[in-house]
């Protein structure tokens, strides 16, 4: 008996791609073509390899999988050399392996041998063990990075997992809790995650069956995926790796990954089916067998008796929901004016509620953990540096600093450091810009009085960072200079970090949340752009508190941090565009330090284009090439500043989002 499931759309694509590419006879496969099996042009380059399982047929319980391969132009790919069914698995229904157990994928076979039909179609027959036609089957197909049979044409790695009924038709049920698209918000579409590219591939290999056979509970996907996104314990082959970076991004927000979707029939499974195997990935102080940290139990049969779906979802979402509710209670409106005589900036901060109504700061003052006001000069090429900026904790633990006042319900502060503003109207450094970050003491989802006057913010659980604000003012009173926001905005950042991500929350800062309050420009759809330009108040061309150590200027810092984390691998994940004109107003950037963290600390500087590029491209050959084109690397500040506009990089290089290595030909 042979059962067949056809993907008609894919088969139509296959037929049309071959016939339309070159009608008639004489395909690139060397065949003249026969009636009913015409030849046609095959792809001669493969930037993107697309795979589709077009048919699954069974002969006496042995499946044959037909895979159709095309390139980015929908031309059939002929001559693959590395193609395999890495895993063939079937889904054991919930409870079938034991009361309370979740549905589990079971390995039944794999196959590396295949037949190339020379028209884009490939077939693989898999010898399976334990095949059950009543269960959903998943075939995980991988084409490894290689070349075609010509030994020249390169093929990128591609993988696909598709589910079928046990007879080769559409599956009646499956287990799809998290979408690969959710993972891609951080990891980048088409980028390798450890040794896989999509979540279905991970699940097909990291089964509970594999974990049990090795005696390593951390190998099962439901345990592993939580383990690598929180820092409750180490992970990895030898449990030697830490998930601090991922934890800092996800911040224990289950809904960062578990997103409701009509395409995921089982998206709610995470709260509906609690198991010991999953729970111990985060709750590491529990030993169910010994009854440590939890009532003793040997299996999952009684879990749902206490941990019902609504309670499980509530308790795991409560912190994130409460944080958002707290942050949304208040905003601030910041204004700045400059005294033409003293050249000092006066900043006034008005708290507003969710209705946009003014709130007297005295009413919430005892609950304000900190208000941090930072003023610098020249948004595009910051002149005061980190050490020269005007900075104050105007409120700390409900107490107003002596240099600040409350006037008509507003917090008011006038800068005390000399801002050294340019007197030329319209000059970038004729503008002072002020960044305000603030936090409120909180507990159990409510704002509370800051109990300890000496509390310095070290216990981050005791307060919530609020929405930051940004204000500009020019000495002349004319329209102030503002930094461009068409390269990166927080909308891109929030795809990974979430809008409630608390930045720089710790003992030295109040922390802050990026929001629409920071916007000073709109996009083509008249929507406010939440720029990251406020960060240059501290992340100046001179670096931060440690000078050029760690390349603290904003142009470099984000590249350095995300490069070290290894998560961001595609420019388009953060960049909306490359505003190359921005370099025309930049000066040298601090890139190295002599005698760091000492009184004799001295920063060395690099011309701006080269400094930005070498924050990722660190090889000596790249640096030597840049120097040959007029760059100064790790030189004196005045020398690098004088050469800042003499770099000839863009005579040849023309980076675009799709290819930042593009050059003019």
């Amino acid at each position: 008996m042979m059962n067949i499931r056809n993907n008609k759309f894919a088969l139509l694509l296959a037929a049309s791609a071959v016939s339309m590419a070159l009608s008639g006879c004489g395909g690139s496969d060397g065949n003249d073509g026969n009636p009913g099996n015409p030849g046609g042009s095959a792809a001669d380059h493969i930037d993107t390899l697309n795979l589709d399982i077009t048919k699954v047929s069974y002969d006496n319980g042995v499946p044959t999988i037909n895979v159709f391969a095309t390139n980015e132009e929908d031309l059939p790919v002929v001559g693959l050399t590395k193609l395999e069914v890495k895993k063939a698995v079937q889904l054991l229904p919930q409870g079938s392996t034991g009361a309370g157990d979740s549905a589990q994928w079971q390995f039944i076979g794999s196959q590396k041998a295949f037949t190339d039909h020379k028209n884009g179609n490939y077939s693989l027959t898999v010898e399976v063990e334990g095949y059950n036609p009543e269960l959903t089957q998943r075939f995980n197909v991988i084409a490894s990075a290689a070349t075609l049979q010509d030994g020249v044409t390169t093929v990128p790695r591609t993988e696909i997992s598709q589910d079928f009924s046990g007879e080769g038709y559409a599956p009646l049920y499956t287990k799809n809790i998290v979408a690969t698209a959710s993972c891609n918000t951080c990891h980048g579409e088409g980028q390798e995650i450890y040794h896989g590219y999509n979540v279905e591939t991970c699940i097909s290999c990291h089964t509970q069956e594999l974990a049990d056979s090795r005696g390593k509970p951390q190998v099962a996907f439901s345990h592993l995926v939580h383990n690598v996104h929180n820092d409750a314990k180490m992970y990895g082959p030898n449990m030697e790796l830490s998930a601090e970076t991922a934890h800092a991004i996800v911040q224990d927000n289950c809904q960062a990954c578990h997103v409701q979707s009509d395409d995921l029939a089982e998206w709610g499974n995470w709260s509906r089916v609690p198991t010991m195997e999953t729970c111990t990935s985060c709750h590491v102080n529990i030993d169910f067998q010994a009854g440590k940290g939890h009532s003793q139990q040997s299996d999952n049969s009684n879990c749902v008796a206490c941990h019902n779906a609504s309670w499980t979802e509530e308790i795991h979402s409560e912190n994130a929901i409460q944080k958002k509710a707290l942050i949304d209670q208040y905003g601030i409106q910041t204004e700045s004016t400059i005294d033409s005589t003293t050249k000092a900036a006066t900043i006034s901060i008005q708290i507003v509620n969710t209705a946009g109504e003014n709130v007297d700061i005295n009413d919430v003052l005892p609950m304000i953990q900190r208000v941090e006001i930072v003023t610098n000069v020249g948004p595009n090429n910051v002149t005061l540096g980190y050490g020269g900026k005007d900075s104050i904790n105007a409120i700390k633990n409900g107490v107003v600093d002596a240099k600040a006042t409350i006037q008509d319900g507003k917090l008011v502060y006038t800068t005390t450091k000399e801002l050294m503003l340019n007197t030329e109207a319209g000059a970038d450094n004729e503008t002072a810009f002020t960044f305000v970050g603030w936090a409120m003491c909180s507990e159990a989802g409510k704002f509370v009085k800051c109990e300890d006057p000496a509390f310095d913010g070290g216990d981050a659980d005791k307060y919530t960072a609020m929405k930051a604000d940004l204000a500009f003012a020019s000495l002349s009173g004319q329209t102030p200079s503002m930094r461009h926001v068409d390269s990166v905005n927080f909308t891109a950042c929030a795809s990974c970090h979430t809008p409630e991500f608390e930045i720089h929350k710790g003992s030295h800062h109040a922390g802050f949340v990026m929001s629409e309050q920071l916007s000073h420009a709109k996009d083509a759809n008249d929507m406010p752009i939440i720029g990251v330009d406020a960060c240059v108040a501290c992340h100046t061309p001179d670096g931060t508190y440690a000078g050029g150590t760690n390349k603290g200027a904003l142009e470099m810092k984000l590249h350095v941090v995300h490069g070290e984390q290894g998560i961001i691998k595609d420019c388009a994940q953060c960049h909306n565009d490359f505003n190359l004109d921005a370099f025309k107003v930049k000066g040298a950037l601090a890139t190295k330090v002599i005698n760091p963290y000492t009184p004799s600390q001295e920063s060395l500087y690099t011309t701006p284009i080269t400094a930005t590029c070498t924050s990722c491209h660190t090889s000596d050959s790249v640096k030597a090439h840049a120097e040959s084109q007029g760059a100064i690397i790790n030189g004196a500040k005045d020398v690098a500043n004088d050469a800042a506009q003499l770099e000839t990089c863009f005579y040849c290089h023309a980076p675009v989002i799709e290819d930042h290595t593009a050059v003019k030909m």
Side-chain angles (χ1 to χ4, degrees):
M1 179 69 179
M2 180 178 289
N3 296 308
I4 298 174
R5 180 267 191 187
N6 290 318
N7 184 328
K8 295 181 180 178
F9 180 67
L11 289 175
L12 286 172
L13 279 178
S16 63
V18 174
S19 62
M20 291 177 65
L22 199 160
S23 300
C25 301
S28 66
D29 54 12
N31 297 326
D32 291 336
N34 300 308
N37 186 26
S41 292
D44 58 6
H45 66 279
I46 303 107
D47 293 329
T48 301
L49 178 64
N50 303 304
L51 301 177
D52 187 23
I53 301 177
T54 58
K55 183 172 69 176
V56 176
S57 59
Y58 286 86
D59 188 1
N60 295 321
V62 178
T64 295
I65 296 93
N66 191 86
V67 179
F68 184 55
T70 58
N71 73 350
E72 65 279 0
E73 297 175 351
D74 287 333
L75 293 176
V77 173
V78 175
L80 291 176
T81 55
K82 291 188 177 181
L83 184 69
E84 64 177 308
V85 175
K86 187 172 182 65
K87 298 289 180 181
V89 292
Q90 60 188 7
L91 186 57
L92 305 176
Q94 179 184 337
S96 63
T97 59
D101 286 356
S102 60
Q104 298 174 14
W105 291 102
Q106 178 188 52
F107 173 75
I108 57 174
S110 60
Q111 181 59 270
K112 290 188 176 181
F114 62 90
T115 300
D116 182 353
H117 297 285
K118 304 299 182 181
N119 59 2
N121 288 286
Y122 299 80
S123 58
L124 304 95
T125 299
V126 184
E127 292 294 333
V128 293
E129 183 177 348
Y131 157 72
N132 185 338
E134 297 182 0
L135 302 180
T136 293
Q137 317 291 323
R138 170 173 290 177
F139 299 100
N140 174 229
V141 179
I142 293 180
S144 298
T147 61
L148 296 181
Q149 290 179 355
D150 61 12
V152 176
T153 306
T154 58
V155 180
R157 176 186 167 102
T158 305
E159 58 190 47
I160 184 175
S161 296
Q162 287 184 220
D163 296 350
F164 302 89
S165 73
E167 297 180 336
Y169 299 103
L172 299 178
Y173 73 100
T174 191
K175 184 179 180 181
N176 51 3
I177 300 173
V178 172
T180 296
S182 294
C183 306
N184 288 345
T185 58
C186 283
H187 290 283
E189 186 173 0
Q191 298 292 337
E192 182 181 17
I193 305 175
Y194 201 60
H195 47 209
Y197 284 67
N198 63 49
V199 68
E200 291 84 6
T201 293
C202 302
I203 292 170
S204 299
C205 290
H206 289 275
T207 63
Q208 187 63 46
E209 179 183 46
L210 176 67
D212 292 342
S213 68
R214 294 187 177 182
K216 294 183 176 181
Q218 69 270 19
V219 171
F221 184 77
S222 59
H223 187 105
L224 172 68
V225 72
H226 295 104
N227 192 6
V228 300
H229 288 94
N230 79 84
D231 61 359
K233 67 175 183 296
M234 307 296 278
Y235 73 95
N238 301 307
M239 302 300 284
E240 78 282 14
L241 303 175
S242 172
E244 289 182 6
T245 296
H247 188 200
I249 294 172
V250 177
Q251 294 188 335
D252 297 323
N253 183 358
C254 299
Q255 292 175 326
C257 300
H258 292 285
V259 180
Q260 183 173 357
S261 170
D262 293 337
D263 297 327
L264 300 175
E266 290 290 301
W267 79 270
N269 179 289
W270 72 275
S271 61
R272 185 172 55 83
V273 188
T275 65
M276 297 184 296
E277 293 80 12
T278 300
C279 295
T280 51
S281 59
C282 296
H283 301 284
V284 297
N285 296 321
I286 293 177
D287 184 336
F288 288 100
Q289 303 291 337
K292 178 184 177 182
H294 191 280
S295 57
Q296 189 175 29
Q297 60 186 71
S298 58
D299 56 38
N300 296 310
S301 57
N302 289 322
C303 295
V304 76
C306 296
H307 303 278
N308 61 68
S310 59
W311 182 83
T312 301
E313 181 176 357
E314 178 182 349
I315 199 169
H316 284 87
S317 305
E318 184 177 16
N319 288 340
I321 292 172
Q322 286 181 351
K323 181 198 293 186
K324 184 180 188 310
L326 286 174
I327 292 171
D328 287 344
Q329 279 193 43
Y330 297 112
I332 53 175
Q333 295 175 347
T334 306
E335 296 180 352
S336 177
T337 58
I338 296 177
D339 187 302
S340 59
T341 302
T342 64
K343 297 183 181 179
T346 296
I347 298 101
S348 63
I349 302 167
Q350 173 71 67
I351 295 179
V352 295
N353 61 21
T354 53
E357 300 167 336
N358 292 344
V359 174
D360 190 325
I361 197 169
N362 289 295
D363 294 340
V364 295
L365 181 60
M367 299 181 290
I368 296 179
Q369 190 271 324
R370 191 181 316 209
V371 174
E372 185 176 18
I373 304 174
V374 180
T375 300
N376 218 316
V377 171
N380 291 286
N381 185 22
V382 184
T383 60
L384 298 183
Y386 185 87
K389 71 184 187 305
D390 188 281
S391 176
I392 185 175
N393 287 316
I395 296 176
K396 192 170 182 181
N397 297 306
V399 178
V400 180
D401 189 275
K403 295 178 182 178
T405 60
I406 294 178
Q407 301 175 18
D408 299 325
K410 300 179 181 180
L411 177 65
V412 179
Y413 168 70
T414 299
T415 57
T416 58
K417 282 192 175 182
E418 185 179 354
L419 298 183
M420 295 184 291
L421 293 164
N422 192 331
T423 57
E424 180 185 350
D428 186 52
N429 57 351
E430 189 240 353
T431 291
F433 63 103
T434 298
F435 174 76
V436 180
W438 65 304
M440 300 272 284
C441 290
S442 58
E443 184 178 0
K446 296 180 180 180
F447 291 128
V448 297
K449 292 182 179 180
C450 302
E451 296 179 355
D452 184 359
F455 175 62
D456 64 359
D459 189 348
D461 292 334
K462 291 185 177 180
Y463 66 97
T464 299
M466 304 295 284
K467 297 178 181 179
D469 200 10
L470 184 62
F472 299 85
S474 66
L475 177 62
S476 65
Q478 296 183 11
T479 301
S481 175
M482 295 181 182
R483 192 179 177 97
H484 71 96
V485 291
D486 57 353
S487 179
V488 174
N489 64 59
F490 193 69
T491 303
C493 305
S495 66
C496 187
H497 287 289
T498 78
E500 289 75 46
F501 181 66
E502 296 170 289
I503 303 169
H504 281 309
K505 183 179 177 182
S507 59
H508 299 293
H509 299 284
F512 59 92
V513 175
M514 305 287 277
S515 76
E516 69 286 344
Q517 290 183 171
L518 291 167
S519 64
H520 55 78
K522 294 184 178 182
D523 63 17
N525 298 315
D526 202 36
M527 297 297 292
I529 298 173
I530 307 171
V532 299
D533 53 319
C535 301
V536 300
C538 292
H539 288 277
T540 74
D542 296 298
T544 56
Y545 64 93
T549 303
N550 301 323
K551 298 183 177 181
L554 182 65
E555 293 88 344
M556 299 181 291
K557 186 64 174 179
L558 293 177
H559 295 133
V560 171
V561 169
H562 290 110
E564 289 174 347
Q565 292 170 343
I567 295 176
I568 304 299
K569 300 176 181 178
D570 181 354
C571 299
Q573 286 180 256
C574 297
H575 282 276
N576 311 297
D577 197 359
F578 291 145
N579 188 330
L580 303 183
D581 288 339
F583 285 103
K584 295 178 181 179
V585 294
K586 292 185 188 297
L589 306 178
T591 49
K592 188 176 181 180
V593 173
I594 299 174
N595 300 325
Y597 308 109
T598 68
S600 60
Q601 173 177 294
E602 177 186 356
S603 290
L604 301 178
Y605 289 75
T606 299
T607 43
I609 299 174
T610 298
T612 302
C613 294
T614 55
S615 60
C616 291
H617 301 284
T618 58
S619 70
D620 290 338
S621 61
V622 168
K623 294 176 181 178
H625 172 69
E627 287 178 319
S628 71
Q629 303 303 312
I632 299 296
I633 298 178
N634 296 331
K637 183 176 183 179
D638 57 346
V639 175
N641 256 331
D642 289 343
Q645 297 304 313
L646 301 179
E647 294 178 292
T648 61
C649 303
F650 295 148
Y651 286 3
C652 297
H653 291 273
V656 292
I657 289 295
E658 296 78 15
D659 179 11
H660 80 282
T661 65
V663 295
K664 299 173 184 177
M665 301 298 293

